[in-house]
Amino acid sequence: MRVLFIGDIMGRPGRTAAASEIPKLRDEYGGFDFVIANGENSAGGFGLTEKVMNELFGAGIDILTNGNHVWDKKDFVPLLDSEKRLLRPANHPAGTCGRGHAVYEKNGEKLAVLCLQGRTFMPPLDCPFRTADKIISECPVPAVFVDIHAEATSEKRALALYLDGRASAVIGTHTHVQTADEEILPGGTAFLSDAGMTGGHAGVIGMTADSVLPKFLLGTPCKFEVCEENVKFQGAVVEIDSETGRSLNVERVNRSVIKNH
């Protein structure tokens, strides 16, 4: 099966880029069995709304993973229970609303998707390694795709090596900076430290420079504004053997999106 994973979608520019580029990539790659995107920054850079969620599903995204910002829009949180195509980090404690993993079926293919959040320089959660152990050991299908939403590249790589041969892919999100370390690990797990960001790259990780600089210069609170310039679509395409769950290829996607005037 072929999976397109889209790095953190940032605000309206990111949503527009996703809607523009997904059809083009489908044509170029001969179609995708599943399209997954990290959506936690899709609504104004912080969280999701129902309207934005439906816009992303309408653009051809099948599953939305998330991270620490999924809780930012309080009115949206109840949808985590009712919408099966939404995932929040699975290593939240028992009793947290929503789900952290699920098995999806499309085009005759079955794929388990698991969302995890790191603990290094991040809010404290349960151990992502042991959470992955439990979920993967009980998974009914061989193909397992993991989004590890974490700050530290060391934690992401450690998780990938730990899950090598058990997960089909371990792809990182959260830093909004695409890394160039894609590979197939010895056990058949595709790895990329960070898929990058789909949105405006002219500022600071998706926000305008003018809105971010006062925080660093003055140490005072400031309102961040979504950057709309130098928009890029970033992510990865992973090919997985459906029967064994081993990845056959991983390829970064990094393309500039030209505005239509």
Side-chain angles (χ1 to χ4, degrees):
M1 73 177 80
R2 186 177 294 116
V3 178
L4 170 64
F5 183 77
I6 304 169
D8 302 43
I9 295 175
M10 175 60 77
R12 184 179 298 278
R15 303 196 310 266
T16 301
S20 166
E21 300 306 308
I22 290 173
K24 298 176 186 177
L25 286 162
R26 284 190 193 278
D27 289 342
E28 291 174 22
Y29 281 89
F32 299 110
D33 295 292
F34 297 94
V35 177
I36 308 168
N38 189 287
E40 67 150 20
N41 299 124
S42 298
F46 298 97
L48 274 164
T49 64
E50 184 173 9
K51 180 180 179 182
V52 165
M53 175 192 74
N54 289 330
E55 179 183 338
L56 294 173
F57 287 146
I61 294 169
D62 300 304
I63 303 136
L64 285 170
T65 57
N66 288 278
N68 52 300
H69 285 296
V70 71
W71 314 106
D72 287 1
K73 302 283 194 294
K74 304 307 179 187
D75 292 344
F76 180 80
V77 171
L79 288 171
L80 292 170
D81 278 328
S82 59
E83 176 52 72
K84 294 182 179 180
R85 294 172 291 177
L86 282 175
L87 297 178
R88 48 84 173 153
N91 51 320
H92 276 281
T96 305
C97 68
R99 59 189 60 78
H101 66 99
V103 176
Y104 300 93
E105 185 171 2
K106 185 182 174 186
N107 302 329
E109 299 283 7
K110 293 182 179 180
L111 177 68
V113 182
L114 169 58
C115 182
L116 295 167
Q117 185 171 308
R119 296 192 296 182
T120 304
F121 311 125
M122 298 283 284
L125 289 179
D126 293 344
C127 177
F129 292 77
R130 290 181 174 85
T131 299
D133 276 340
K134 183 177 188 303
I135 291 171
I136 292 175
S137 69
E138 299 171 353
C139 186
V141 298
V144 181
F145 192 103
V146 179
D147 173 359
I148 172 62
H149 197 76
E151 285 278 6
T153 54
S154 58
E155 187 174 19
K156 297 176 188 181
R157 179 154 182 93
L159 181 70
L161 292 170
Y162 184 69
L163 296 179
D164 186 25
R166 294 188 286 157
S168 305
V170 176
I171 307 294
T173 55
H174 182 65
T175 69
H176 293 197
V177 178
Q178 189 179 74
T179 54
D181 57 347
E182 70 276 18
E183 66 172 308
I184 305 295
L185 297 174
T189 296
F191 172 66
L192 176 64
S193 286
D194 203 286
M197 179 188 69
T198 295
H201 285 249
V204 180
I205 62 169
M207 299 296 183
T208 64
D210 287 345
S211 69
V212 172
L213 283 173
K215 177 180 180 180
F216 292 100
L217 292 170
L218 305 175
T220 56
C222 51
K223 183 180 180 181
F224 295 162
E225 297 178 358
V226 173
C227 177
E228 299 186 359
E229 302 301 321
N230 190 20
V231 176
K232 295 182 180 180
F233 180 103
Q234 295 186 329
V237 175
V238 183
E239 294 187 18
I240 302 169
D241 185 313
S242 305
E243 294 184 1
T244 66
R246 294 173 64 96
S247 280
L248 307 173
N249 190 53
V250 57
E251 180 179 339
R252 275 184 297 128
V253 177
N254 180 18
R255 53 203 293 169
S256 295
V257 179
I258 306 300
K259 290 184 178 180
N260 294 318
H261 296 286

